């Protein structure tokens, strides 16, 4: 009886102490029913103590948190120890508040068993919200960092592939490189390039984490079916010609050959590869993750697919020429590939029969100026007339060829070097002493070499090239017979470097045109900028050779945009800071892509063509004369061409208005002397503001 009296006195004291408590104080029965609630319930949860008495506390908790109370009560009964939980409690107006509740068990004085629980709860909603906000911000920062890292990996991967395409790498090398870069950029388990043929796709490029599987996929010629209506990724791409993704494990597993089944892939994304307007195949990324690949995977795959398209088109064009073309369509002369075969045959015959053989190599002087002044149609007509005049001098057994562009070859069996020089002189006179239709008088420079000097076909060409180079370096409009006392023979390294550069320039030009061709409004933009930049440099007193180098660089000035997603490149609304950062990256990326083909100075022109005279440009914030002179010229030519031509986001302005804008921005955005040259050029050339198109 004394114990019960002491308990009653304790409860009375407890109630008195909790009357003014700011925390919510409650007592619960062992099954969680409220048997005492302090007055703080009014202010904390909008309910009176009287309304709450006899109510189960679990009904006030969020459904997802009720187990916390049940588990806590069970622990206190079992261990006789206090516990703390954080759970959501329903306010009278219907919103949820976070409460931190500390509870302890109270034992019966007679039996010692837990007879009730005493708990104190306080509102910690602000604290929980702050913690959640901090976690969310940390996740946002982490997600942004991961996005930037993925974008950097994508641009680096695209740069490596674009560089390989630019140097004319064979398709097999491109396929392997793209597959490897795709796997790394997408964090995929495997990447495949499938070429469509009828109702199946053959693996022509692959990468997998297991190197042995990578080799097996390509070397064994693994094929995959393309059944109509199949849900598999490649089948859907072949059917629709659009990107597709699949996260159905069975569809992926059943579609692939046994060699791929071991990968255990669970999701896949494919992007089409188009060649000649047709769906040629697909680039595929596969993942073993349960969740699908990131939502921007299709866009990233498409960027790599475009580079595959360039590589395939270039390769198939070369292969078609090797296989089918014997004669040049423009001049009717033998083409380069057929000439190589003829050269080998004639050298062998000359050695066998012990008779002389001479070779003339010639090209038309300053044909680029013909392109710019009169257009490519007139230049083509001039080349055709030069070929006609050459053909008029042909003797039985001679071999005539147009090797490339304005490069002609005349192989003379049974002819000594001295006689070949005379015949080549007649050809030079036939061209220079007669006016060609539409373009006026033209000249040629020629070099002649004999097999007796060279000893073999390879060196015969080298000696003739050296003689022709001497003729061009000493005034042009000359015929020069090879003489070791006068003409220096080109070394193998010089020939290889010249061939590599010409091939690289051609491939980079194709890449630049591909970037321009993404949007109808930018077609031939790079070629117009290149022509205008060269004209401005000549007005500024540059040498013809250096102006030609500037033209080559200006043609590639936007090649770095191959690494900018189309969604950003063609966005008509205002760009976000992140999107503008991606756009600005094209200048430095363009410099990296061209660094293996162009000179260091040309690369600096491309990298710096968005620098401003006032130092507020990018990527390096150069200003004034710190900006490379070629970059200053490209900057003005690029801006002027954008202003006077239609773009998706604006209408063109008149050349006079564009010039006024350039004058207004002189000494802030543009170099004043370049703007002055532009004014002079427009006064001379008229309102059109630029030279005609050049031949490609």
């Amino acid at each position: 009886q004394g114990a019960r009296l002491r308990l009653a006195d304790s409860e009375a004291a407890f109630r008195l102490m909790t009357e003014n408590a700011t925390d919510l104080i409650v007592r619960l029965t062992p099954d969680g029913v409220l048997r005492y609630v302090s007055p703080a319930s009014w202010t904390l949860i909008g309910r009176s103590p009287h309304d709450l008495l006899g109510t189960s506390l679990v009904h006030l908790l969020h459904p997802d948190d009720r187990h916390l109370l049940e588990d806590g009560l069970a622990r206190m009964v079992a261990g006789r120890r206090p516990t703390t939980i954080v759970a959501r409690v329903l306010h009278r107006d219907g919103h949820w508040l976070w409460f931190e509740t500390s509870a302890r068990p109270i034992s019966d004085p007679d039996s010692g068993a837990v007879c009730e629980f005493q708990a104190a709860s306080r509102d910690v909603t602000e604290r929980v919200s702050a913690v959640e906000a901090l976690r969310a911000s940390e996740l946002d920062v982490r997600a942004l960092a991961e996005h930037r890292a993925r974008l950097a990996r994508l641009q680096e991967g695209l740069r490596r592939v674009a560089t390989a395409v630019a140097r004319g790498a064979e398709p097999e090398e491109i396929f392997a490189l793209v597959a490897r870069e795709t796997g790394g950029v997408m964090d995929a388990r495997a990447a495949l390039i499938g070429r469509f043929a009828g109702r199946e796709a053959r693996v022509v490029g692959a990468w997998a984490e297991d190197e042995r599987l990578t080799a097996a996929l390509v070397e064994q010629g693994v094929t995959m079916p393309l059944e109509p209506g199949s849900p598999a990724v490649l089948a859907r791409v072949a059917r629709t010609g659009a990107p597709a993704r699949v996260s159905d494990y069975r569809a992926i597993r059943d579609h692939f050959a046994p060699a791929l089944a071991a990968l255990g892939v669970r999701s896949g994304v494919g992007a089409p590869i188009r060649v000649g307007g047709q769906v040629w195949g697909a680039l595929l990324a596969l993942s073993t993750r349960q969740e699908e690949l990131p939502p921007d995977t299709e866009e990233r795959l498409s960027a790599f697919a475009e580079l595959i398209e360039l590589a395939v088109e270039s390769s198939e064009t070369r292969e078609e020429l090797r296989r089918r073309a014997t004669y040049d369509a423009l001049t009717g002369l033998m083409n380069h590939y057929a000439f190589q075969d003829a050269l080998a045959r004639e050298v062998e015959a000359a050695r066998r029969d012990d008779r002389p053989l001479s070779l003339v190599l010639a090209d038309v002087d300053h044909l680029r100026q013909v392109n710019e002044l009169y257009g490519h149609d007139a230049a083509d007509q001039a080349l055709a007339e030069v070929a006609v005049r050459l053909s008029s001098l042909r003797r039985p057994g001679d071999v005539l060829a147009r090797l490339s562009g304005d490069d002609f070859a005349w192989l003379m069996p049974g002819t000594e070097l001295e006689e070949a020089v005379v015949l080549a002189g007649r050809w030079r006179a036939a061209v220079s002493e007669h006016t060609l239709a539409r373009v006026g008088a033209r000249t040629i420079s020629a070099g002649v070499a004999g097999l007796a000097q060279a000893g073999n076909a390879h060196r015969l060409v080298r000696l003739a090239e050296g003689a022709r180079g001497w003729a061009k370096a000493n005034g042009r409009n000359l015929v020069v017979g090879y003489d070791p006392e006068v003409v220096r023979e080109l070394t193998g390294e010089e020939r290889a470097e010249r061939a590599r550069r010409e091939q690289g320039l051609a491939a980079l030009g194709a890449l630049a045109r591909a970037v321009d061709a993404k949007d109808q409004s930018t077609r031939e933009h790079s070629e117009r900028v290149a022509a205008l930049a060269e004209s401005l440099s000549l007005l500024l007193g540059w040498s013809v050779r250096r102006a030609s180098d500037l033209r080559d660089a200006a043609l590639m000035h936007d090649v770095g945009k191959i690494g900018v997603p189309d969604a950003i490149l063609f966005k008509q609304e205002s760009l976000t800071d992140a999107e503008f950062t991606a756009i600005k990256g094209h200048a430095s990326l363009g410099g990296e892509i061209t660094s293996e083909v162009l000179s260091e100075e040309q690369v600096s022109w491309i990298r710096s063509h968005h620098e401003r005279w006032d130092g507020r440009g990018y990527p390096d914030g150069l200003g004034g004369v710190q900006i490379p002179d070629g970059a200053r010229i490209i900057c003005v030519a690029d801006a002027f061409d954008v202003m006077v031509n239609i773009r998706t986001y604006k209408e063109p302005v008149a050349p006079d208005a564009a010039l006024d804008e350039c004058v207004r921005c002189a000494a802030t955005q543009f170099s004043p002397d370049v703007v002055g040259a532009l004014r002079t050029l427009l006064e001379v050339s008229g309102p059109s503001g630029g030279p005609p198109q050049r031949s490609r």
Side-chain angles (χ1 to χ4, degrees):
Q1 183 67 25
R4 291 187 179 279
L5 289 173
R6 286 194 300 274
L7 179 60
D9 291 341
S10 175
E11 288 184 353
F14 172 77
R15 292 173 184 270
L16 181 63
M17 291 172 58
T18 60
E19 287 296 320
N20 296 315
T22 57
D23 290 347
L24 177 61
I25 311 298
V26 299
R27 280 190 170 183
L28 309 171
T29 65
D31 56 357
V33 175
L34 294 164
R35 58 178 298 273
Y36 170 76
V37 181
S38 70
S41 64
W42 274 112
T43 57
L44 293 177
I45 60 175
R47 300 173 187 270
S48 70
H50 178 74
D51 291 340
L52 295 173
L53 291 176
T55 302
S56 176
L57 179 58
V58 74
H59 294 152
L60 295 177
L61 300 184
H62 191 283
D64 293 343
D65 298 341
R66 290 172 182 172
H67 71 283
L68 299 175
L69 176 63
E70 296 168 350
D71 294 344
L73 295 177
R75 287 196 303 272
M76 285 191 290
V77 170
R80 302 292 198 278
R81 293 182 178 180
T83 189
T84 300
I85 65 171
V86 178
R88 285 162 287 185
V89 177
L90 183 63
H91 192 276
R92 185 182 183 87
D93 63 8
H95 71 277
W96 296 96
L97 299 171
W98 285 95
F99 275 80
E100 182 180 73
T101 301
S102 297
R104 66 183 182 87
I106 299 176
S107 301
D108 183 274
D110 295 330
S111 65
V114 174
C115 63
E116 65 177 18
F117 303 99
Q118 178 180 309
S121 299
R122 59 191 181 94
D123 186 351
V124 293
T125 303
E126 291 186 1
R127 188 187 75 186
V128 172
S129 298
V131 171
E132 290 182 344
L134 179 59
R135 289 175 178 171
S137 65
E138 291 175 347
L139 290 175
D140 288 342
V141 170
R142 190 178 302 116
L144 179 59
E146 290 175 353
H147 172 74
R148 288 176 174 172
R150 287 197 303 268
L151 182 59
R153 291 202 306 270
L154 174 64
Q155 291 181 337
E156 180 63 19
L158 289 171
R159 184 195 69 79
R160 283 191 286 265
V161 176
T163 299
V165 173
R167 64 178 171 79
E170 291 300 320
E172 292 75 14
E173 180 183 346
I174 299 296
F175 296 156
L177 179 59
V178 168
R180 185 170 64 252
E181 295 294 345
T182 298
V185 170
M186 311 300 170
D187 294 325
R189 179 71 184 275
L192 305 175
I193 299 170
R195 180 171 186 176
F196 299 154
R199 293 193 174 185
E200 66 178 19
R202 181 171 62 87
V203 175
V204 295
W207 171 87
E209 291 180 336
D210 186 337
E211 294 182 357
R212 293 172 299 178
L213 180 57
T214 300
L217 288 172
V218 178
E219 294 173 2
Q220 296 176 11
V222 172
T223 60
M224 291 159 283
L226 301 175
E227 296 94 346
S230 169
V233 179
L234 287 177
R236 288 177 57 185
V237 173
R239 186 167 61 250
T240 65
R245 65 170 54 219
V246 170
S247 56
D248 181 348
Y249 170 70
R250 291 182 179 177
I252 295 177
R253 180 196 62 191
D254 296 342
H255 179 58
F256 291 118
L260 289 173
L263 286 173
V265 293
R266 295 184 177 274
S267 60
V269 177
I273 302 169
R274 292 183 177 83
V275 175
Q278 303 295 320
V279 179
W280 178 92
L283 173 61
L284 183 63
L286 300 173
S287 174
T288 57
R289 294 190 295 269
Q290 190 72 33
E291 67 274 12
E292 294 185 356
L293 288 161
D296 62 349
T297 302
E298 288 90 340
E299 186 175 6
R300 297 183 180 201
L301 286 178
S302 296
F304 281 113
E306 289 181 3
L307 294 176
I308 296 176
E309 293 163 15
L310 288 174
V312 171
E313 287 180 345
S314 176
S315 174
E316 290 191 348
T317 298
R318 292 196 305 269
E319 191 62 30
E320 184 71 10
L321 286 173
R322 292 189 188 103
R323 185 173 62 250
R324 298 179 57 185
T326 300
Y327 295 99
D328 173 58
L330 176 64
T331 63
L333 302 180
M334 186 179 289
N335 69 15
H336 172 78
Y337 300 105
F339 175 76
Q340 294 300 322
D341 292 338
L343 176 62
R345 290 194 305 271
E346 292 299 335
V347 167
E348 182 180 357
R351 285 174 169 176
R352 183 185 63 243
D353 300 336
D354 193 23
R355 57 185 176 86
L357 175 68
S358 295
L359 172 64
V360 180
L361 293 180
D363 58 29
V364 180
D365 296 327
H366 303 301
L367 185 66
R368 177 176 290 180
Q369 293 180 0
V370 175
N371 280 301
E372 294 167 358
L373 294 174
Y374 303 102
H376 65 270
D377 289 340
D380 286 348
Q381 184 174 344
L383 289 173
E385 289 192 48
V386 169
V388 169
R389 299 186 186 282
L390 173 58
S391 298
S392 67
L393 300 172
R394 184 204 309 253
R395 304 166 306 168
D398 287 353
V399 177
L400 307 180
R402 181 192 178 199
L403 302 183
S404 64
D406 60 349
D407 190 5
F408 293 89
W410 185 1
L411 191 60
M412 305 177 183
T415 306
E416 298 286 358
L417 175 65
E418 294 76 11
E419 183 183 359
V421 169
V422 172
L423 291 172
R426 294 176 184 173
W427 180 21
R428 183 202 63 77
V431 173
S432 62
E433 296 174 3
H434 295 80
T435 300
L436 301 179
R438 300 175 61 182
V439 301
R442 294 289 113 190
T443 62
I444 63 171
S445 298
V448 189
L451 184 61
Q453 300 169 303
N456 57 54
H458 179 67
R459 193 157 184 262
L460 177 62
V461 173
R462 287 168 54 184
L463 298 185
E465 285 179 341
R468 180 178 60 183
W470 197 94
K472 294 171 70 173
N474 288 272
R476 302 180 187 266
N477 193 23
L478 293 174
V479 173
V480 175
Y482 177 77
D483 182 346
E485 298 296 326
V486 177
V487 179
R488 184 177 66 86
E489 175 187 348
L490 294 178
T491 67
E493 290 184 358
E494 290 172 330
R495 285 171 44 80
E497 175 61 23
R498 178 180 295 180
R500 186 191 68 82
R501 177 178 171 81
E502 291 176 352
Q503 185 181 40
L505 286 174
L508 282 174
L511 196 60
R513 288 194 292 274
V515 171
D516 286 352
K518 285 186 174 185
D519 184 1
Q520 183 67 32
S521 66
T522 63
R523 290 182 184 274
E524 300 185 352
H525 165 70
S526 295
E527 295 190 31
R528 293 193 301 266
V529 171
L532 180 55
E534 185 179 32
S535 298
L536 292 174
S537 67
L538 291 172
L539 280 175
L540 289 168
W542 285 33
S543 68
V544 173
R545 176 184 291 276
R546 196 156 180 258
S548 177
D549 289 343
L550 177 63
R551 176 167 197 144
D552 289 337
L555 184 64
M556 321 301 173
H557 77 283
D558 273 344
V559 75
K561 288 184 177 178
I562 195 72
V564 180
D566 289 352
I568 297 177
L569 200 58
F570 304 132
K571 184 177 180 181
Q572 298 188 25
E573 298 82 17
S574 298
L575 297 176
T576 65
D577 291 344
E579 290 169 340
F580 187 56
T581 298
I583 285 283
K584 291 195 296 185
H586 84 274
S588 55
L589 179 60
E592 293 176 14
I593 290 175
T594 58
S595 61
E596 294 189 13
V597 175
L598 301 183
S599 69
E600 184 176 348
E601 183 178 52
Q602 288 174 304
V603 170
S604 75
W605 295 338
I606 293 174
R607 177 182 175 85
S608 302
H609 77 275
H610 276 294
E611 301 287 3
R612 291 170 52 105
W613 187 258
D614 58 12
R616 296 168 57 194
Y618 58 86
D620 302 311
L622 303 178
V625 296
Q626 292 178 320
I627 306 171
D629 52 2
R632 292 178 240 156
I633 296 174
I634 296 175
C635 178
V636 173
D638 183 31
F640 182 84
D641 186 78
V642 169
M643 284 189 280
V644 300
N645 287 283
I646 296 175
R647 287 297 178 98
T648 56
Y649 51 86
K650 70 168 209 47
E651 291 295 321
V653 301
D656 289 344
L659 175 61
D660 291 342
E661 180 64 14
C662 291
V663 171
R664 186 182 70 81
C665 296
T668 56
Q669 182 175 355
F670 305 125
S671 171
D673 61 332
V674 179
V675 174
L678 178 63
R679 182 198 295 274
T680 301
L681 178 65
L682 293 181
E683 290 174 352
V684 172
S685 63
S688 63
Q693 293 180 339
R694 68 189 291 240
S695 178
R696 295 180 183 176

